[in-house]
Amino acid sequence: MKVLVINGPNLNLLGKREPEVYGRLTLAEVNDRLKALAGELSIELDFFQSNSEGLLVDAIQAAATSGADGILINPAAYTHTSIALRDALCAVALPFVEVHLSNTHAREEFRRQSFLSDLAAGVVVGFGAESYLLGLRGLVGTLNRAPGDRG
């Protein structure tokens, strides 16, 4: 099983940017934790981060032809603004889980709306780096169920 982990804008600054909101771990450290969990789950991970919406769309589209079975995505600020990411996720029709470090529902009003959540197999928010691990476990569980049992 292969999962593409996608991180959106400003996540390259994890550990430095607003650590009181996003935590002190760097993106490399979050990825290392995901790699360790992937080993336990016997799955393969690919990682992609970009601050550019178009490059994120390209990565989602490429996932469908690169053998990815699912996507773990933290779209960051594009969660609340990007119909392009939504359309790309619809187009590839791969199961995905949306994750966020902070509890987006307890933040500014504009952060409470996601253009992706209704398409996602699941959404995990508010647990810091643990959101990624919980999201990956949920995605793998979804992928291990028969397609008719995923709803």
Side-chain angles (χ1 to χ4, degrees):
M1 182 181 300
K2 185 175 177 181
V3 171
L4 175 61
V5 179
I6 297 177
N7 283 285
N10 298 308
L11 290 167
N12 56 306
L13 298 176
L14 280 182
K16 298 174 191 158
R17 175 184 176 231
E18 299 178 84
E20 67 282 358
V21 175
Y22 300 109
R24 301 203 181 283
L25 292 179
T26 66
L27 185 57
E29 291 169 325
V30 172
N31 289 345
D32 286 344
R33 289 181 180 199
L34 284 168
K35 289 175 194 172
L37 179 57
E40 292 174 27
L41 298 173
S42 299
I43 64 167
E44 181 182 340
L45 297 179
D46 286 331
F47 296 91
F48 183 79
Q49 187 280 325
S50 179
N51 296 318
S52 169
E53 184 178 28
L55 292 175
L56 293 167
V57 168
D58 290 343
I60 292 167
Q61 291 176 357
T65 58
S66 71
D69 298 294
I71 297 172
L72 183 69
I73 185 169
N74 183 342
Y78 289 134
T79 303
H80 324 289
T81 64
S82 182
I83 295 178
L85 288 183
R86 178 187 175 85
D87 288 350
L89 288 162
C90 275
V92 300
L94 291 172
F96 74 93
V97 170
E98 178 184 339
V99 298
H100 296 282
L101 296 157
S102 67
N103 180 352
T104 56
H105 303 286
R107 296 190 59 201
E108 304 93 338
E109 185 68 33
F110 68 88
R111 293 189 197 273
R112 297 176 190 169
Q113 171 64 41
S114 169
F115 284 117
L116 311 178
S117 293
D118 64 312
L119 302 175
V123 180
V124 182
V125 303
F127 295 102
E130 190 71 18
S131 292
Y132 283 86
L133 303 176
L134 293 166
L136 183 59
R137 286 184 186 280
L139 180 58
V140 169
T142 295
L143 293 171
N144 281 329
R145 288 193 294 275
D149 294 337
R150 290 184 184 164

